[in-house]
Amino acid sequence: MSTQLPKQTEEASESETESDVPSRGDERRAERRRRAANRREQRQAEEAERAAADEDTIELRVFRYDPDVEEKQEPRFDTFHVPFEKGMTVLDALMYARDTYDSSLTFRHSCRQAVCGSDAMFVNGGQKLACKTQIGELDEPIRVEPLPHAEVRKDLVVDMEHFYDQMEAVEPYFQTNEYPDGELEEQRQSRENREKVKMSTRCIWCGACMSSCNVAAGDNEYLGPAAINKAYRFAMDEREGEDVKQKRLEIIEQEHGVWRCQTQFSCTEVCPKDIPLTEHIQELKREAVKNNLKFW
Amino acid sequence: MAQRYSSFQQGTRMWLLQRITAGFLLVVLAFHFFLLHFVHHADEVSFLMSSGRMETMSYYSLMVLFLLTATFHGVNGVYNALVNQGLSGTKRTAVKWTLVAASVVLIVQGIRTANAWAGIPLY
Amino acid sequence: MHEHDVVVVGAGGAGLRAAIAAQEAGADVAIVSKLHPVRSHTGAAEGGINAALRDADSWEDHAYDTMKGSDYLADAPAVEALCQESPEEVIQLEHWGMPFSREEDGRVSQRPFGGLSFPRTTYAGAETGHQMLHTMYEQVVKRGITVYDEWHVMDLVVTDEPDPADRTCHGVVAYDIQTGEVNGFRADGGVILATGGMGQVFDHTTNAVANTGDGVAMAYRAGVPMEDMEFIQFHPTTLPSTGVLISEGVRGEGGILYNGEGERFMFERGYANNDGELASRDVVSRAELTEVNEGRGIEDEYVHLDMRHLGEERILDRLENILHLAEDFEGADGLTEPMPVKPGQHYAMGGIETNEHGETVVDGLYAAGECACASVHGANRLGGNALPELIVFGKRAGYHAAGKEMSEAEIPTGKNGEWEPADYEFEISVGEVDSRGPAAADGGAVATDAEALLRTAVERARDRVETLLSRTGRNHAEIRSTVQETMTANVNVFREEDRLEETLSDLREAREAYQEVAVSDPSRTFNTDLIHTMETRNILDIAEALTMGALARREFRGAHWRKEHQERKDESWLKHTLVSWNGGEPELWYKPAILEGESKTYEPKVRSY
Amino acid sequence: MSQSYNRGLIEDFSRWREFEAGMWAWIFHKFTGWVLIGYLFTHIAVLSTAIPASGAETAVLQAGNDVYTQTIVSLEGLLLVRILEVGLLAVAVFHMLNGTRLLLVDLGIGLDSQDKSFYASLILTGAITVASVPTFIAGAF
Ligand SMILES: Cc1cc2nc3c(=O)[nH]c(=O)nc-3n(C[C@H](O)[C@H](O)[C@H](O)COP(=O)(O)OP(=O)(O)OC[C@H]3O[C@@H](n4cnc5c(N)ncnc54)[C@H](O)[C@@H]3O)c2cc1C
Ligand code: HEM
Ligand code: SF4
Ligand code: F3S
Ligand code: FES
């Protein structure tokens, strides 16, 4: 049913700009606010009832939490009934729920086409991109939670800082010591080599893989599949040259690097871009071993 | 490149050893099971039979190697599992040395047992 | 308060390139973006980047194609800058490691694209924009450029002189989405707007939810004119439920469009007897909508794009990604059923008026990328010309803001060159409903020194946030959807006078409703309700200016089709439409398009391919 | 990544239901590994009875009356021990088979069919275990 919170009047007027003693105007406004909130609640209740009565609705159970709002400080699940349409994705359903029932329902989203990587969530127990997950393929009720193993900021929004730090820890930028001489001259790269790095360049930084990996959950410093894949993307690019590759191998060989991976494969399973993460990690392990064996 | 003295970093070495021991154990453990459960049945076991096998030098060394590799593989595996779950700092050092101590005890005890069978008076 | 030499607003292709350039030129630069850089919509671009890289090709040909494609409404100095510098910029991307598709000999691949006389579209598979965005973000990481991500820029801090040409921009005010903090960013070198598209003005678009045209609206309210806003490109094959783009490749390979009665309408209904499905984007879009409007659509909404006859093998070989798109976003299996498609908003040719260095009429304020109008696309953008625009003009704006020596600009901004007032009377009043409310701010403030100016601007922004959070009223979502619906119904590919007028009055109502808007989520943490409410204001301003331009331009040029005016009128309409905010009372005016290039003049010809 | 509170408490999501092959393999491999190392310690402890036994008279040994033989015989006489041994076999066989799978994965072989090889390991483990029950139970009754 509708889970819209009645507006917290105290909360809202707590800003420094407003006076402490409520004036008559304040009271009147508060009263109006209360009435408006009631009206809204009623309308939403009706809408929800209508939706629930309708055959073709889906039940969405969404995780709610907000450290800033008293009623939401205790994490809970809210239920929304959303009319189903063919082709509907989890993101569409969430947007419908937000725009119709509860505008405080919070989640990141932008592109709606699986390229921006904002909306990785935990849907029915698996890491999924909400915009790329068809409702029709899920069992009801559909449970939507924020990504596991990440700090929840609010509702479905998690803190991505740590993930970004890991991504940026592998010197994720192209490095080479020689460029072609001629003006407007590109570096040559063979088709095979481009094919080799192709999948690894598709990562959209959604963090689903990291969230699915138990090793990353246990060891906060583990670089994680996405960052290792990023390192792979450069280490395997022939344009960078041997010496740079050497440096890259040293990065991924560190204590919390590739050796942490226990081939759980869950990263590979959840990656919305179908990047063979485990394969890339394993290849880097072998590269590292080979590289080291040379000096034995 | 050339100035890297230790040619193998810790992580690489342990990882590789875990795989190598796994490969070895695969063969020996299969042999072990086969010999002691299928060829000789459990209820036929006796000191003398064990003793008889152990007196052969090749069998004796195989078993000692078996013990060493299994201990390394198992203990290193446990250690890795703990480290992967975020064990760090002093706790980690403590666990590490406890595991090393346990391994030493296990290996010493194992070799003493083998010696007892083989008739080597070192036990 | 944060202080940097240059502040770049937006971290898509244009913003990132601008930041890198400014840093190269020695400035202390920061990027402020409401999304983390890699989430920007540049990542959605598939096709490629036009650049004359080969000996058999030349920048002159590229410029010619672009002018022709623009239906002679682009400014030649900007077009020539684009075509001359695109090759060098593309090679720069390659040197930064961008994984382009490759030829047998290891050079970057190029492919043919609509409207181009040479296959000069450089690409990286079907994900050129993604690769470009990530490659540039990698450079930003490498250079350690400061990025304030998830900061929503609310306003520009601009002085309050009566004439926009005398105003100076000193920075921006932004809202930290994570914490709810409002803070100022001072930038004495300059502010570069790179906030991307405005697709959310329509309810069916290939653009992201974040593409709400914030930069355009902010600059508009600060006194910078919006240029050529009526020119919106619609893509004929987008998925009905999400707006995800189905590439022209399907029709290129032989995909067929059917209406609800199973007719191959492109031929059977005589829309394009020669080219059929392969006619240009605007022709196909109009045909599809005509079918739907006349009752021959499917579910009164879309038509079918069928590729089953191509056979599984060929589809899997060449159009595999299309299968995934239809499956993931529409739940349709392209192998066994036709895919539903309809036209969707795709690209805004117009935007913030700038010259070829990205400078606006306000001193210290720059714009680059889709939010800007330099103008290189005129009345119609060629596929593959937006991405080079990002890097060429992003770089130029970055250099200029950082104080690097640049040539004298040839394109005048504001009313500094030739201009004429508009000859159109609007029946509906436009602009601010009540020009005294806090939302009415002109971008100006009554102080002159930068520090004080910023402080007042921050205060005002805080007040605005507090007001929105504390009062009760309407939810922005209803208002936003009213705007989107009326725009899609009346201002999309078909435009008729009555309905445009009707739209202006709908927008008026929406504006009035917005006066009572309130945010119901009281949270200070990640309050997307608040962000969307602020965005809705921007959508309103843009929608209005767009509709005004569409009403005023009484001709059919490029993407702008008018029922009452079915031909291109070169004698009277070789001019840009501009709308100035004027303190809440929008003013429409024109300035001539510049067709004289470096060494030749681009004479308008009939645009036929 | 860390977590500020235990979200699992809010609602039991029976998350494991969604685990894919690779994850199960990882869990089983861990479990079996720990069981094996645990057994190794126990095993050596039991076998150590051979040390005092070696001091016994030849006749005692021949009669099987030494500490070692007695321990083993009494242990093996317990049905529970026999059953545990079958369990041990299952654990060991799975660990070996899945270990082989992991070694192949490390070599980059058959990553695409990693799930199939896991199921194969499970089935083979089951088959081998069942097939060896007679041998293990022999003489227990
Ligand atoms: C599906 C699709 C396919 C396309 N294909 C091609 C193609 O093949 N070839 C081609 O040349 N062009 C193509 N285009 C067009 C081209 O991709 C876009 O025009 C271009 O990417 C826009 O880039 P940008 O940097 O201007 O804006 P964006 O990449 O949209 O970036 C906007 C940035 O501004 C920030 N921002 C916005 N508002 C605010 C605010 N208020 N405060 C702070 N930050 C803000 C956002 O966070 C974001 O970082 C395509 C477009 C689409 C939608
Ligand atoms: C028979 C052949 C064996 C093979 C092929 C094998 C293979 C492996 C492999 C490849 C790993 C590493 C898993 C990883 O790090 O991803 C491993 C882990 C382990 N092995 Fe074995 N192993 C064998 C026998 C044994 C034996 C006899 C023992 C007990 C002494 C044992 C105990 C362990 C333990 C404790 C782990 C760590 C499990 C964990 O990660 O928690 N293994 N094994
Ligand atoms: S590797 Fe895949 S799952 Fe991981 S962040 Fe990148 S796209 Fe997401
Ligand atoms: S899930 Fe984790 S353990 Fe390795 S294979 Fe993937 S990184
Ligand atoms: S909304 Fe961009 S990836 Fe889902």
Side-chain angles (χ1 to χ4, degrees), chain C residues 39-323:
Chain C
R39 317 269 178 240
S40 304
H41 207 55
T42 295
E46 297 170 4
I49 317 171
N50 295 342
L53 290 175
R54 302 285 176 253
D55 291 340
D57 197 3
S58 74
W59 71 261
E60 285 91 347
D61 289 350
H62 184 186
Y64 179 82
D65 293 343
T66 304
M67 286 304 286
K68 182 174 162 198
S70 81
D71 230 354
Y72 302 95
L73 201 69
D75 287 337
V79 169
E80 293 187 342
L82 175 85
C83 303
Q84 281 168 351
E85 286 172 29
S86 176
E88 161 193 330
E89 281 302 305
V90 169
I91 295 300
Q92 176 66 77
L93 284 172
E94 201 283 338
H95 286 185
W96 284 338
M98 180 162 158
F100 284 106
S101 293
R102 298 284 166 167
E103 288 305 306
E104 223 35 273
D105 64 358
R107 304 189 66 180
V108 296
S109 294
Q110 296 194 299
R111 63 180 163 209
F113 235 53
L116 297 183
S117 55
F118 188 89
R120 68 170 75 88
T121 307
T122 321
Y123 63 98
E127 60 220 9
T128 315
H130 165 84
Q131 302 297 6
M132 177 167 150
L133 181 68
H134 281 257
T135 303
M136 282 202 275
Y137 181 59
E138 286 159 15
Q139 289 301 311
V140 165
V141 172
K142 178 177 181 186
R143 285 150 214 261
I145 294 174
T146 316
V147 180
Y148 299 88
D149 69 321
E150 300 195 324
W151 278 80
H152 175 90
V153 174
M154 297 173 63
D155 249 321
L156 299 171
V157 180
V158 172
T159 55
D160 202 18
E161 279 78 9
D163 183 354
D166 300 331
R167 295 180 188 167
T168 312
C169 180
H170 288 290
V172 301
V173 179
Y175 175 88
D176 184 354
I177 304 176
Q178 302 258 12
T179 65
E181 171 199 345
V182 175
N183 213 337
F185 291 78
R186 183 170 165 178
D188 289 330
V191 169
I192 302 175
L193 293 172
T195 55
M198 52 181 85
Q200 290 298 320
V201 167
F202 294 84
D203 72 1
H204 191 74
T205 172
T206 61
N207 282 199
V209 179
N211 285 8
T212 48
D214 299 352
V216 186
M218 282 188 280
Y220 179 49
R221 291 194 296 268
V224 184
M226 292 199 209
E227 182 175 349
D228 288 339
M229 292 295 287
E230 64 272 29
F231 293 105
I232 297 285
Q233 188 168 72
F234 293 88
H235 199 285
T237 51
T238 68
L239 296 174
S241 60
T242 47
V244 169
L245 191 100
I246 295 295
S247 104
E248 248 153 60
V250 178
R251 281 171 291 140
E253 291 292 332
I256 297 175
L257 289 166
Y258 292 107
N259 63 16
E261 292 165 13
E263 292 169 322
R264 189 175 181 180
F265 57 89
M266 289 310 292
F267 289 105
E268 287 180 49
R269 297 263 165 194
Y271 294 104
N273 288 323
N274 297 325
D275 293 347
E277 281 82 8
L278 289 172
S280 71
R281 285 183 186 178
D282 45 335
V283 173
V284 181
S285 290
R286 280 191 290 272
E288 290 175 2
L289 268 194
T290 309
E291 290 301 301
V292 173
N293 290 344
E294 293 180 1
R296 292 188 296 276
I298 297 144
E299 290 183 9
D300 263 342
E301 193 193 355
Y302 53 83
V303 296
H304 273 150
L305 175 59
D306 196 347
M307 60 178 186
R308 289 172 297 179
H309 58 283
L310 300 179
E312 185 167 338
E313 198 178 321
R314 178 138 159 232
I315 295 175
L316 284 177
D317 182 35
R318 307 204 190 159
L319 301 168
E320 196 192 331
N321 69 324
I322 302 294
L323 283 180

